[in-house]
Amino acid sequence: MRVQETAYAKLNLTLDVTAKRPDGYHDMLMVMQTVSVTDSLVLEQTGEDRIQVSCNFRYIPTDERNLAVRAAMMYLDAIGEEKRGIAIRMEKDIPVGAGMAGGSADAAAVLRGMNRLYDRRMSRRELEELAANVGSDVAFCVSGGTALARGRGELLEDLEPMPDCRIVICKPGFSISTPELFRKLDQIGLRTHPDTPGMLNALREGDLRGISMRMFNVFEEVDDRRMRSEAEIKHVLLDYGALGAVMTGTGSAVFGIFNAEEAAECCAAELRKEHRFCRVARPAARLEI
Ligand code: ATP
């Protein structure tokens, strides 16, 4: 049997770090949104006793370092299946090292696909629990949509869907190391935080302007010379009429919210002159599981 799954990229409408925990992890508070930038995965049962991955991005590992492989292994372990013959073909469009949870989205898509291959044995909650053991953002990516994430990102609450709009997403040529950014964040000590209650209210009211105004990511407070590029992209987005613009996750992608398609397309055309990855996306709805 063979199944196809779509992996949706995530963006952070807000990202707050609320505490450093004794176990070394940070407590996060994030409003997350899936968008129509996607990877396509095909999963197939094979007669062999191994999990094989092939991918159009040559530099992505195809062994257990790939989150998709880890997700498939965890699923098989969880249902007590000993035969491990699975082939996964991934066609990626979600950029790597962008703060768009590409690897996590693939892992979540594999969990959904495995659930179909093995006859939907697990509920959404069970899949999310399994997902949290694969990686911090994987639980959110199981259903996606609009959600509030706490803890390491695994404690989820569904939110009112974000109103439809155009989202211009641009990733500069470099990536930013996540551990390095957390280290720098610990050094500076945060004084400014996103208005998360205000964001939740704006979502409840379907107020796109209110949502855009409240987008904020504490990692943008870190003093890093690469943030200059991020600031330049934000300027272009705002010049072309974005209602708000912010970096997602630990970067390096930056996005802006538009209520007019034409302005979004013009802005993307301008950004593409300098940056290879630039897409005009829309919010994606929560998936039913
Ligand atoms: P996040 O928002 O979760 O921080 P990111 O965009 O910074 O996401 P990813 O693109 O998910 O990061 O991946 C970063 C690292 O994970 C890379 O070093 C990559 O080799 C590894 N990786 C493992 N599995 C995958 C996958 N399926 N797709 C992309 N990268 C993967």
Side-chain angles (χ1 to χ4, degrees):
M1 193 176 155
R2 164 201 279 233
V3 296
Q4 191 275 335
E5 284 287 336
T6 301
Y8 293 86
K10 72 94 202 195
L11 296 176
N12 287 94
L13 299 181
T14 64
L15 191 158
D16 200 2
V17 176
T18 51
K20 182 160 185 192
R21 312 190 323 191
D23 62 7
Y25 286 107
H26 292 76
D27 268 325
M28 318 286 289
L29 183 61
M30 309 181 278
V31 176
M32 324 259 266
Q33 174 67 50
T34 40
V35 293
S36 61
V37 175
T38 59
D39 295 345
S40 174
L41 288 87
V42 175
L43 280 69
E44 195 169 3
Q45 282 160 323
T46 68
E48 291 179 48
D49 191 27
R50 65 193 180 105
I51 298 167
Q52 293 160 263
V53 171
S54 59
C55 180
N56 59 323
F57 286 8
R58 291 280 160 78
Y59 50 90
I60 297 285
T62 53
D63 55 18
E64 298 92 85
R65 284 170 299 168
N66 194 310
L67 292 183
V69 175
R70 266 192 254 166
M73 288 187 346
M74 287 234 186
Y75 189 93
L76 292 171
D77 286 344
I79 62 166
E81 175 64 60
E82 280 172 15
K83 285 203 213 101
R84 300 202 153 236
I86 302 285
I88 304 170
R89 167 83 202 141
M90 299 174 26
E91 277 292 324
K92 283 189 73 72
D93 185 42
I94 306 174
V96 176
M100 294 170 72
S104 303
D106 293 343
V110 164
L111 292 177
R112 292 194 302 268
M114 294 292 280
N115 218 26
R116 288 169 60 204
L117 272 183
Y118 292 88
D119 224 5
R120 295 185 191 278
R121 293 190 202 181
M122 284 196 212
S123 67
R124 172 181 167 190
R125 292 292 165 218
E126 287 170 319
L127 285 180
E128 284 174 352
E129 265 173 44
L130 204 57
N133 294 320
V134 181
S136 310
D137 286 340
V138 186
F140 165 71
C141 294
V142 167
S143 286
T146 316
L148 180 69
R150 297 169 199 268
R152 288 170 54 198
E154 80 286 15
L155 306 172
L156 297 166
E157 193 184 308
D158 290 343
L159 298 174
E160 210 57 48
M162 182 180 183
D164 193 25
C165 60
R166 295 298 186 276
I167 308 176
V168 176
I169 309 169
C170 178
K171 180 192 177 289
F174 57 85
S175 299
I176 301 179
S177 143
T178 302
E180 188 188 327
L181 267 197
F182 272 107
R183 238 185 344 267
K184 286 190 172 171
L185 197 73
D186 290 338
Q187 282 162 9
I188 59 172
L190 275 176
R191 276 192 229 113
T192 322
H193 295 272
D195 173 15
T196 308
M199 175 61 87
L200 299 185
N201 218 19
L203 280 165
R204 262 192 300 271
E205 289 175 359
D207 171 11
L208 191 63
R209 201 167 282 276
I211 293 167
S212 309
M213 261 169 49
R214 290 177 179 84
M215 296 195 305
F216 186 76
N217 180 342
V218 293
F219 284 116
E220 286 185 311
E221 300 290 287
V222 170
D223 183 24
D224 183 302
R225 78 192 142 74
R226 285 165 294 198
M227 291 298 173
R228 266 183 250 151
S229 262
E230 316 282 296
E232 276 164 28
I233 296 173
K234 275 169 80 170
H235 273 136
V236 176
L237 289 163
L238 295 169
D239 275 355
Y240 275 79
L243 302 175
V246 75
M247 182 174 90
T248 178
T250 50
S252 60
V254 176
F255 66 96
I257 306 285
F258 290 78
N259 50 19
E261 182 173 7
E262 206 185 330
E265 292 291 351
C266 287
C267 180
E270 177 63 27
L271 287 166
R272 280 189 197 113
K273 290 181 188 162
E274 252 195 76
H275 303 283
R276 245 209 337 218
F277 182 89
C278 185
R279 297 278 184 281
V280 180
R282 293 167 81 162
R286 182 175 310 123
L287 302 172
E288 291 302 328
I289 301 215

